[in-house]
Amino acid sequence: MIDIQPEASHYINGAYVEDTSGTAIPVIYPATGAAVARVHAATPALIEQAIEAARTAQPAWAAMSGTERGRILRRAADIIRARNHELSVLETYDTGKPMQETLVADATSGADALEYFGGLAGSLTGEHIPLGGDWVYTIREALGLCVGIGAWNYPTQIACWKAAPALACGNAMIFKPSEVTPLCALKVAEILTEAGLPDGIFQVLQGAGEVGAPLVTDPRVDKVSLTGSVPTGKKVYAAAAAQMKHVTMELGGKSPMVVFEDANIDDAVGGAILGNFYSSGQVCSNGTRVFVHASIKDAFLARLKERLGSVVIGDPLDEAVNFGPMVSEAQRAITLDYVAQGKAGGATLFHGGKAIEGQGFYIEPTVFSDVTDDMTIAREEIFGPVMCVLSFEDEAEVIARANATDYGLSAGVFTADLTRAHRVIGQLQAGSCFINTYNLAPVEAPFGGVKASGVGRENSKAAIEHYSQMKSVYVAMGPVDAPF
Ligand code: NDP
């Protein structure tokens, strides 16, 4: 086993910092349930230290040219790629996700974000607006100090998806990982320092909500970007709004995946597997309501059953394993409770449904068929490997049913009919949509939700709008024409 105990709990002003007087947070390896490391929550004194360091360092960072800032971010991307294996092992210890996933979807996705926004940094400009004599120019300015708060499912990716655009725009960021997965963000901070990032520009503070909350309400913080559940999002959004802070909210979902009768069944089944069982179902954009046209429902389920036969559940450090444990005992208990509610509510348990005996927080990939819209398992985000299969008869009906939710993160359509694909996607209320695939999130594409699933966008050029603000300057070229 590698030594995954970090040098210290926090990363402040360019260095690891420890203060064991903060609440101890054990790091539990989800595959065994054993504590493999320990960190401590940040004390108020450390929060103060980090905010002061950020406020002191940020103006000089913003004053550098975008190209210089970008060079540092791109260097960090290169270091992450060179250390991908080691970082993937750490991500696996932090989250329990199999190496087969972490090697390709976590540190590498973080590197993509640093490379992409590093490349954009030099091109962030304002514009010149001619008014026939007088003119206006605009300046794209950094917001100042941004706070990033992460969920536990993608600790490296979330830290990088927030830090990369924030830093590219000239902001400083204090990042608070989920207390469940505290390790990976520290590595991101360490690597950014190695790449040349000035001290104080990206810092990491550990702790649960009691560390996140004072960061959100501190008047010296200009923006809050949260990845988390809708209930937490509502609290954090309200707290930020009280001081008119900028926000990005990447929240939960109960996304629909619609499989029409002309769909390629293998692709649709593949999409449903990706959209329900990757990361043991702990993905915000998962297509957990799989609407299958009644005429192909049996064929779809039969193919799904076959493919579930090749799931390899086991030690996530073994690269042959493609389905790992859930992140925590608590999250598995929540998931098992939903499974019980599904059975009690009258859905057919088509596959799985049980915790796996032995050590670690394993649960079988689970499929319910004959699910109806009113059932709890079809309405609430489970955040575990539980797929609900519902059937439908026609297009207008399925669009209405797919949209009958407060959530609006993602949606997918599987069909061979090109015009239907675009017509249906155009009517689905979701921010991140897919046609004939599911759950791909390249850095070049905007990512985020509508309705209760969030505010703002991560990734792509759209993220720049959420980490910068415009100043417009009117320039008079003649005398001032006043009424008296
Ligand atoms: P939570 O909402 O429980 O927590 C999210 C983060 O907020 C954690 O770091 C948490 O700290 C912190 N937090 C909790 N309360 C407060 C508060 N009052 N003020 C400030 N910070 C606070 O979500 P989970 O960690 O359980 O993650 C799962 C959720 O995240 C799911 O709903 C999922 O859909 C969503 N998600 C959304 C994504 C998206 O991009 N749209 C991507 C990934 C996940 P701590 O937990 O340490 O107490």
Side-chain angles (χ1 to χ4, degrees):
M1 187 193 279
I2 62 158
D3 180 15
I4 58 159
Q5 175 63 39
E7 202 176 312
S9 299
H10 316 284
Y11 200 90
I12 301 175
N13 211 12
Y16 278 102
V17 172
E18 190 55 275
D19 180 352
T20 53
S21 67
T23 313
I25 302 171
V27 182
I28 307 293
Y29 180 38
T32 61
V36 288
R38 187 169 72 168
V39 297
H40 292 266
T43 56
L46 288 188
I47 297 174
E48 183 61 27
Q49 218 177 299
I51 292 175
E52 273 310 306
R55 299 291 317 181
T56 306
Q58 188 267 332
W61 174 244
M64 282 166 68
S65 78
T67 304
E68 285 175 295
R69 287 197 301 271
R71 194 176 300 138
I72 292 169
L73 300 188
R74 285 185 288 112
R75 210 179 285 141
D78 291 343
I79 299 171
I80 287 182
R81 288 213 178 87
R83 289 171 60 178
N84 182 41
H85 193 274
E86 165 209 340
L87 296 170
S88 303
V89 171
L90 191 69
E91 176 99 18
T92 289
Y93 274 110
D94 228 1
T95 61
K97 292 187 293 181
M99 286 288 287
Q100 205 182 93
E101 291 186 17
T102 56
L103 282 168
V104 297
D106 292 285
T108 52
S109 162
D112 285 353
L114 289 160
E115 185 175 9
Y116 177 85
F117 287 105
L120 272 189
S123 65
L124 304 178
T125 55
E127 55 180 346
H128 167 258
I129 304 163
L131 298 171
D134 291 358
W135 52 288
V136 168
Y137 66 95
T138 62
I139 304 171
R140 186 174 288 283
E141 291 183 334
L143 301 174
L145 172 54
C146 305
V147 160
I149 299 178
W152 38 257
N153 56 347
Y154 282 82
T156 307
Q157 183 189 87
I158 292 172
C160 291
W161 281 19
K162 294 188 188 308
L167 271 44
C169 291
N171 302 286
M173 171 164 276
I174 297 176
F175 186 79
K176 188 206 82 67
S178 163
E179 66 178 316
V180 181
T181 53
L183 303 177
C184 298
L186 290 169
K187 285 289 167 197
V188 173
E190 187 188 304
I191 287 168
L192 280 163
T193 296
E194 190 183 330
L197 189 73
D199 296 348
I201 297 300
F202 182 75
Q203 306 180 92
V204 177
L205 293 176
Q206 306 293 350
E210 84 268 2
V211 173
L215 286 170
V216 171
T217 51
D218 193 288
R220 292 165 291 179
V221 168
D222 302 287
K223 154 147 196 160
V224 180
S225 175
L226 171 84
T227 296
S229 62
V230 171
T232 304
K234 285 182 178 170
K235 271 192 273 179
V236 171
Y237 196 177
Q243 292 174 21
M244 213 59 81
K245 291 184 207 281
H246 298 253
V247 295
T248 298
M249 294 283 144
E250 291 292 351
L251 310 176
K254 190 75 193 177
S255 301
M257 183 185 295
V258 181
V259 183
F260 284 99
E261 63 276 21
D262 58 353
N264 176 312
I265 295 218
D266 245 326
D267 284 346
V269 167
I273 287 171
L274 280 179
N276 283 271
F277 301 132
Y278 204 72
S279 300
S280 295
Q282 302 163 118
V283 180
C284 51
S285 48
N286 271 356
T288 46
R289 290 183 295 146
V290 182
F291 291 94
V292 183
H293 192 269
S295 64
I296 57 160
K297 194 181 131 203
D298 290 345
F300 177 91
L301 285 171
R303 188 67 187 117
L304 179 61
K305 188 77 147 183
E306 272 169 30
R307 290 187 55 175
L308 280 164
S310 55
V311 69
V312 184
I313 306 176
D315 176 2
L317 291 167
D318 174 351
E319 285 180 34
V321 164
N322 56 27
F323 190 84
M326 299 202 65
V327 76
S328 65
E329 182 71 73
Q331 195 61 29
R332 181 172 69 167
I334 290 169
T335 306
L336 287 169
D337 185 52
Y338 275 112
V339 171
Q341 291 191 56
K343 287 195 263 187
T348 305
L349 182 59
F350 177 75
H351 187 90
K354 291 192 297 298
I356 294 172
E357 296 287 318
Q359 60 177 15
F361 312 132
Y362 290 88
I363 175 174
E364 295 169 332
T366 299
V367 179
F368 279 104
S369 59
D370 305 315
V371 177
T372 54
D373 299 349
D374 56 320
M375 291 179 184
T376 307
I377 55 168
R379 287 187 290 107
E380 296 181 9
E381 183 186 46
I382 299 174
F383 223 57
V386 181
M387 181 194 301
C388 293
V389 178
L390 308 92
S391 66
F392 71 95
E393 298 283 349
D394 76 72
E395 186 181 307
E397 168 214 335
V398 78
I399 292 169
R401 290 170 59 198
N403 287 338
T405 169
D406 290 340
Y407 292 112
L409 186 50
S410 293
V413 172
F414 284 83
T415 176
D417 179 339
L418 194 63
T419 50
R420 172 155 66 187
H422 297 291
R423 185 171 67 234
V424 172
I425 279 290
Q427 294 175 77
L428 291 177
Q429 297 163 350
S432 302
C433 297
F434 307 93
I435 294 176
N436 290 334
T437 188
Y438 204 83
N439 255 1
L440 303 178
V443 67
E444 296 85 352
F447 181 82
V450 301
K451 295 160 75 179
S453 290
V455 174
R457 289 293 175 269
E458 294 198 305
N459 288 343
S460 79
K461 283 182 238 162
I464 297 300
E465 299 301 327
H466 301 287
Y467 283 101
S468 60
Q469 59 196 351
M470 278 294 183
K471 173 181 279 178
S472 68
V473 183
Y474 189 107
V475 182
M477 299 297 283
V480 173
D481 181 16
F484 55 85

